[in-house]
Amino acid sequence: MRLRGARPTPAAGSDYPELSVVDPTHYALGREIARGGMGRIWVARDRRLGREVALKEVLGASPAVLRRFEREARITARLQHPSIVSVYEAGAWPSGEPFYAMRLVSGQSLDEAIAAARGFDQRLALLPNLLAVADAMAYAHGQKVIHRDLKPRNVVVGEFGETVVIDWGLAKDLRDAGASSLDGAAPASVDPPSSSSAPGETTAGDVLGTPSYMPVEQAAGQAVDERVDVYAIGAMLYHVLAGEPPYREPTSAEVIAAVMTGPPPPIRERAPETPGELVAILERAMARERDGRYATARELADDLRRFQTGQLVGAHHYSLRQLLRRWIRRHRTALAAVAAALVVAAVVGVIALRRVLEADRVIEQQRGEAIANRKSAEELAQFMMDDLKPTIEGVGRLDLLETVARRLAAYYELRAAAGDDDEDRFELAQTNMTIARVHSLRGQVAEARASFVRAFAIASVLAARHPEAVKYAALGLQAWINVVNLDAERGLGSPIVDLQAIAASADQLIARQPGDAGALDVATACHQEVAALLANHGDPVAGLAEASRALAIATTLEAVRPHGQSDVVLCSAHTVRGDLLHDGHDDDAALVEYRAALALLERQKAGDGLNTKLLGELAGVHRSIADILISRHDLAGAASELQAGLAGADRLHAIDPSDRVRYFEVQQFHERMGMVLAARHEFAGALAQYRTCEAVLHELVAKEPNDLDYRRDLGLIDDKLGEMLVRLTRLPEALAVLQQALASRRELVAKQPDNGQWHRDLFYNSILIGVTYSQMPGHKQDALASVRDALATATDNAAQHPASIQYAQDLVQSHQAVGEALADLRDMPGARGEYQIGIALAEHAAAQPRSDPRWQHILADLRTGLAAIGSVQLR
């Protein structure tokens, strides 16, 4: 069909010049969340796939607006990057207006995050989000697309650490010669802003873009290229550091005049604590002459990444004193002695260790003695790293090697400084890897990262010196995988981009030396990490391809290494592929992968039943199989898998009771077993399993009182305990457990008032308490009070999340529950009033365009309840 007289303007590479007509009933519209000069955005539910989306519709019917809107949809859809909003569907309604549906990102805009930050340090913590924007724009520029309206409001900081660039309405395809005719800008005259326009926002007649974040050439209406986005990222960095935009004039016209007149105040005037490297990056990005800026967004991203990782920033000029201070900080080695070294020394029985330790304590005075003991120390190091380390690591006590590893690191630091033996440097890198892993086990992220970076730096230098020696490059890549993963856990960096680059490097190593076990090991691990990340970012097809690549490499590794050393790697590859197949609802294929992993693990377990890594993998595979069987209602099979996995999890906990992650896994097995037993109506058995979960979580909360997730998990288990006790008609016990959970949840909500899920936990808990009271003689008023508490919580939730169907239905359910409680108290007018409110809310929701079909069922239930109340009144 043709869009209201607008001539088709097919995008480069598109097969269809016009958008296809889409049935509007496919989408159930919720609330409007944004509106601009060209379109408005709704929260909508895609009924076909059962997911929430952001749906953008055009405003206005002029041919120019329609063409621009369609071009925006096509350009946005073409950009496939985790930090660029994904387009799910684009089309036209039967009436002719175009629309497109995209990923709905829950979170806040970057300008809201900046405003919410308390002080410079919290604003500086937003730097990773800005780096993600730079990475996204580097990708878009590679596709010859510029945004032209980058600003904090057009960047969403998601609830789970994701950063997404949105609103590509002013984007320009540099390959499209006709795009300029659609720009519609008239920079020669600027209309006065309307009263509804916020300072710095685009208004009618303005040049394209937002004045506070645009360079001189854009403000002047001249031709622009990729460097217009580089400037905008610099201006956003200015906003992050200063807490306010570069220009603060009250109107858009005045902002444009200020941009044309000169640069904003130096950042050091508004944020004196800004590091010199960031000042240099900002000034280069915001250079008034475009040739003075970074040539590409990639160069800007690289400098931001170097700043984050403590490397030298290209835009900054360092003095000799600064370079020396940085070198000293990066190479400082701690030499503290720990009792674990004595334990290892006693086990090893090597007298030479004592000599090295003594020499280390007075390293400056007795340097010659330490060097003289080189042979003995090297023999000890070889024993530790080749023989003792795998054994200790296998039983989960790598921490016993920490002191010795630190001593050896200091020793090899000395050796490397005293001579030119690259093998000494290689040993130094390996000992830093060991130290880093110990820190990781203890949750010391910053310390672990520093040691991994140290290992990477040493290995990289060695790889450059000896390109024929694959082991140096492989160790460097392994170290950097760990750095990327640690950053990703904190929402830093661009893990997919970084890991894909590492995987490509590992593949090159394999091509050079196909039989090198180290290269194969690194490549397998990296492709697995990329697979999981791609799947988590909404690209399961690419994720599965990466997982298959990892499995192929691991299979090659099995032929190179003895089975005992390669089984766990191959098992992990099968497991990752199984996870992705399971996420894609191909459970039959997933079970094949899980069973293959299980067979490998059982084979290795026969020869090494105490290896903690092996036991952990084994427990995880049993749990994955059990989850599939539970979904298929194969409760007997699921119980068998859970029992087998629980045996391994219990053993892991017995080996190292201090490992809280392993202990939490024990709790998860008991929780799943409780679910299986409850489904089989074995409520007493389920109760016993939930009691065990409760005890585990109480211990974890006691050990980690600041971990609010453990406290939330405890509340969820208490809910399940309460339900089982109600089913067993042990109502006073059920009430005590549920009230305990209620008190804990109120504390959690007080700590994080904006956490919507915790508010919903509070609502559900109050409902459960009301149901419990309603079954206890003499407690009808208590039941009413509890469901009224639930109603108050549901009302707040619905007000905070007006687009959420779930919160709206919670509100209706609460009115119904209050109505039932009033009916139990023979207050029929009050009960009728609550039912009528619920019906009115449900009718309003059901009358919305493309409403959720569940509202009709809810309405039927409410009307039945209201009729029952009426019949009671008549009697």
Side-chain angles (χ1 to χ4, degrees):
M1 67 167 295
R2 199 170 295 277
L3 301 178
R4 289 192 172 182
R7 289 180 295 176
T9 56
S14 62
D15 295 327
Y16 298 99
E18 298 179 354
L19 298 176
S20 300
V21 175
V22 176
D23 185 347
T25 62
H26 289 333
Y27 293 97
L29 291 185
R31 66 185 177 97
E32 182 179 315
I33 57 174
R35 178 183 288 253
M38 188 170 61
R40 59 183 173 185
I41 302 176
W42 302 85
V43 173
R45 182 173 178 274
D46 185 340
R47 289 172 164 169
R48 294 163 295 179
L49 297 176
R51 64 180 175 185
E52 282 196 329
V53 300
L55 191 144
K56 187 168 185 177
E57 294 180 323
V58 72
L59 288 176
S62 72
V65 169
L66 291 171
R67 289 198 301 271
R68 181 184 293 282
F69 185 88
E70 182 177 346
R71 183 161 61 92
E72 173 189 347
R74 292 182 186 272
I75 287 177
T76 309
R78 203 176 81 217
L79 300 176
Q80 302 293 313
H81 188 277
S83 290
I84 296 176
V85 65
S86 302
V87 172
Y88 294 146
E89 181 177 35
W93 303 129
S95 55
E97 293 88 351
F99 78 94
Y100 66 92
M102 52 190 161
R103 177 161 64 106
L104 178 65
V105 183
S106 299
Q108 58 183 341
S109 63
L110 181 58
D111 61 341
E112 292 173 333
I114 295 170
R118 298 178 180 177
F120 179 80
D121 289 343
Q122 287 193 15
R123 293 199 305 274
L124 192 61
L126 297 171
L127 190 61
N129 303 106
L130 211 56
L131 174 56
V133 173
D135 281 331
M137 294 317 302
Y139 164 82
H141 293 169
Q143 303 295 311
K144 306 306 290 182
V145 173
I146 57 176
H147 191 285
R148 298 196 295 179
D149 195 21
L150 283 176
K151 56 186 175 184
R153 187 172 298 182
N154 283 345
V155 175
V156 177
V157 179
E159 294 178 355
F160 302 101
E162 66 269 40
T163 303
V164 182
V165 180
I166 63 172
D167 198 351
W168 293 74
L170 298 185
K172 181 175 182 179
D173 188 341
L174 297 177
R175 298 175 299 186
D176 185 358
S180 60
S181 65
L182 300 175
D183 293 345
S189 63
V190 179
D191 293 338
S194 66
S195 60
S196 62
S197 297
E201 288 298 293
T202 307
T203 58
D206 280 349
V207 296
L208 292 178
T210 302
S212 289
Y213 305 93
M214 65 170 57
V216 176
E217 66 269 21
Q218 189 178 10
Q222 300 171 1
V224 296
D225 59 14
E226 291 90 339
R227 287 168 290 183
V228 69
D229 289 338
V230 169
Y231 180 96
I233 297 171
M236 291 165 66
L237 175 59
Y238 190 110
H239 192 162
V240 167
L241 297 172
E244 55 189 357
Y247 296 94
R248 297 181 293 179
E249 281 64 21
T251 68
S252 296
E254 290 173 286
V255 172
I256 290 179
V259 171
M260 299 294 294
T261 302
I267 188 62
R268 281 280 175 80
E269 290 185 8
R270 294 188 182 177
E273 58 271 70
T274 303
E277 290 97 333
L278 276 183
V279 173
I281 291 172
L282 185 150
E283 290 178 346
R284 184 174 176 187
M286 292 187 69
R288 291 180 65 76
E289 296 296 329
R290 73 179 80 188
D291 290 341
R293 296 176 210 147
Y294 291 96
T296 65
R298 171 56 60 205
E299 291 182 15
L300 171 55
D302 288 343
D303 252 3
L304 287 172
R305 188 172 285 107
R306 289 188 192 103
F307 173 78
Q308 282 196 182
T309 57
Q311 301 177 61
L312 298 181
V313 170
H316 185 66
H317 298 288
Y318 296 87
S319 67
L320 178 60
R321 182 178 180 182
Q322 286 176 315
L323 291 172
L324 287 173
R325 289 178 63 186
R326 290 173 63 88
W327 188 90
I328 291 170
R329 286 199 304 268
R330 288 169 63 86
H331 293 79
R332 186 181 295 121
T333 304
L335 301 176
V338 182
L342 299 178
V343 175
V344 176
V347 173
V348 175
V350 180
I351 302 302
L353 175 62
R354 184 177 301 169
R355 296 178 185 172
V356 177
L357 296 177
E358 290 295 329
D360 224 14
R361 292 191 185 95
V362 288
I363 194 167
E364 292 301 327
Q365 295 82 1
Q366 299 181 4
R367 179 171 177 171
E369 181 181 345
I371 296 175
N373 283 306
R374 175 182 180 183
K375 183 177 180 181
S376 297
E378 289 175 350
E379 290 175 353
L380 174 59
Q382 184 177 4
F383 174 82
M384 286 175 47
M385 295 303 172
D386 295 344
D387 300 327
L388 186 60
K389 178 186 169 185
T391 301
I392 291 179
E393 190 172 17
V395 296
R397 296 309 308 272
L398 188 62
D399 57 299
L400 294 178
L401 285 178
E402 179 186 14
T403 300
V404 180
R406 288 185 178 279
R407 296 291 179 175
L408 285 170
Y411 172 76
Y412 281 115
E413 190 89 52
L414 177 61
R415 283 292 311 149
D420 193 26
D421 190 337
D422 283 345
E423 282 303 302
D424 287 339
R425 295 184 177 88
F426 184 59
E427 294 293 343
L428 176 60
Q430 288 187 308
T431 52
N432 271 277
M433 291 286 285
T434 300
I435 294 168
R437 290 190 178 107
V438 172
H439 284 309
S440 293
L441 287 173
R442 292 177 172 171
Q444 298 165 328
V445 177
E447 294 86 347
R449 190 186 190 283
S451 293
F452 280 130
V453 170
R454 174 70 173 137
F456 169 77
I458 298 169
S460 296
V461 171
L462 294 175
R465 288 182 184 176
H466 307 280
E468 76 287 349
V470 172
K471 68 176 183 178
Y472 299 139
L475 181 63
L477 293 177
Q478 186 64 63
W480 200 244
I481 288 174
N482 285 282
V483 172
V484 172
N485 284 336
L486 288 175
D487 287 348
E489 289 173 3
R490 296 181 294 164
L492 305 178
S494 300
I496 292 180
V497 175
D498 292 338
L499 287 171
Q500 284 176 330
I502 298 172
S505 298
D507 287 342
Q508 291 174 4
L509 292 181
I510 296 172
R512 282 165 47 193
Q513 292 193 20
D516 187 87
L520 291 167
D521 204 348
V522 171
T524 302
C526 204
H527 282 290
Q528 287 179 183
E529 297 285 354
V530 174
L533 285 169
L534 286 170
N536 291 338
H537 284 80
D539 194 349
V541 175
L544 190 58
E546 288 287 334
S548 299
R549 171 67 175 151
L551 181 58
I553 298 172
T555 303
T556 303
L557 179 63
E558 184 184 32
V560 173
R561 280 182 177 170
H563 287 313
Q565 298 178 31
S566 61
D567 280 352
V568 172
V569 176
L570 185 57
C571 158
S572 180
H574 279 296
T575 301
V576 169
R577 192 166 187 276
D579 290 342
L580 293 177
L581 289 166
H582 177 48
D583 291 343
H585 306 292
D586 190 351
D587 285 346
D588 289 333
L591 279 174
V592 171
E593 297 295 341
Y594 290 142
R595 301 278 186 205
L598 200 59
L600 288 167
L601 291 168
E602 291 291 353
R603 181 173 70 182
Q604 189 174 353
K605 180 185 174 185
D608 189 5
L610 283 177
N611 188 297
T612 56
K613 187 173 182 180
L614 169 66
L615 290 174
E617 292 280 354
L618 198 59
V621 173
H622 280 300
R623 185 172 62 244
S624 297
I625 294 174
D627 287 342
I628 291 178
L629 296 180
I630 289 173
S631 69
R632 294 181 168 187
H633 304 289
D634 181 359
L635 302 181
S640 177
E641 294 292 339
L642 290 172
Q643 287 168 349
L646 181 59
D650 281 336
R651 195 170 188 183
L652 285 171
H653 176 58
I655 290 172
D656 185 5
S658 66
D659 191 332
R660 289 159 198 167
V661 174
R662 299 298 190 191
Y663 201 24
F664 183 68
E665 289 175 353
V666 170
Q667 180 268 331
Q668 289 184 310
F669 275 104
H670 283 292
E671 182 178 4
R672 283 172 169 80
M673 187 66 77
M675 293 166 57
V676 168
L677 293 173
R680 290 159 57 171
H681 297 283
E682 298 177 22
F683 302 128
L687 179 66
Q689 294 292 331
Y690 292 145
R691 287 287 190 201
T692 301
C693 294
E694 183 187 42
V696 171
L697 286 167
H698 271 301
E699 287 190 37
L700 291 172
V701 168
K703 292 176 180 177
E704 295 283 356
N706 295 323
D707 192 321
L708 301 184
D709 287 331
Y710 282 151
R711 295 183 61 182
R712 192 223 172 189
D713 290 333
L714 180 57
L716 296 176
I717 289 299
D718 281 341
D719 282 346
K720 292 181 179 180
L721 270 172
E723 289 184 60
M724 291 304 102
L725 288 167
V726 168
R727 288 180 178 273
L728 293 167
T729 65
R730 293 160 59 175
L731 300 179
E733 291 179 69
L735 188 60
V737 170
L738 293 172
Q739 287 177 331
Q740 172 182 290
L742 180 65
S744 177
R745 279 173 171 159
R746 284 174 173 162
E747 291 180 11
L748 288 177
V749 168
K751 290 179 181 293
Q752 290 189 9
D754 296 332
N755 192 315
Q757 185 56 59
W758 290 1
H759 276 277
R760 188 160 193 272
D761 291 345
L762 194 62
F763 152 78
Y764 183 68
N765 191 252
S766 298
I767 288 288
L768 284 176
I769 291 174
V771 170
T772 305
Y773 269 132
S774 70
Q775 299 182 38
M776 299 173 67
H779 286 278
K780 297 186 185 298
Q781 287 289 352
D782 294 321
L784 177 61
S786 293
V787 294
R788 277 182 168 160
D789 285 343
L791 175 59
T793 302
T795 302
D796 289 342
N797 290 346
Q800 292 293 325
H801 305 274
S804 170
I805 295 175
Q806 185 61 71
Y807 286 126
Q809 291 175 353
D810 288 346
L811 180 58
V812 172
Q813 180 185 352
S814 299
H815 281 291
Q816 183 177 9
V818 172
E820 291 173 353
L822 289 170
D824 285 344
L825 289 166
R826 313 300 291 178
D827 181 356
M828 297 308 170
R832 184 178 182 84
E834 292 294 334
Y835 270 93
Q836 288 173 335
I837 293 173
I839 289 172
L841 291 171
E843 285 178 339
H844 176 74
Q848 298 303 307
R850 298 182 290 277
S851 68
D852 192 311
R854 286 176 293 180
W855 286 114
Q856 297 300 332
H857 299 288
I858 293 171
L859 269 172
D861 188 41
L862 286 166
R863 287 165 177 157
T864 299
L866 182 60
I869 291 173
S871 66
V872 171
Q873 287 181 303
L874 292 174
R875 285 200 295 268

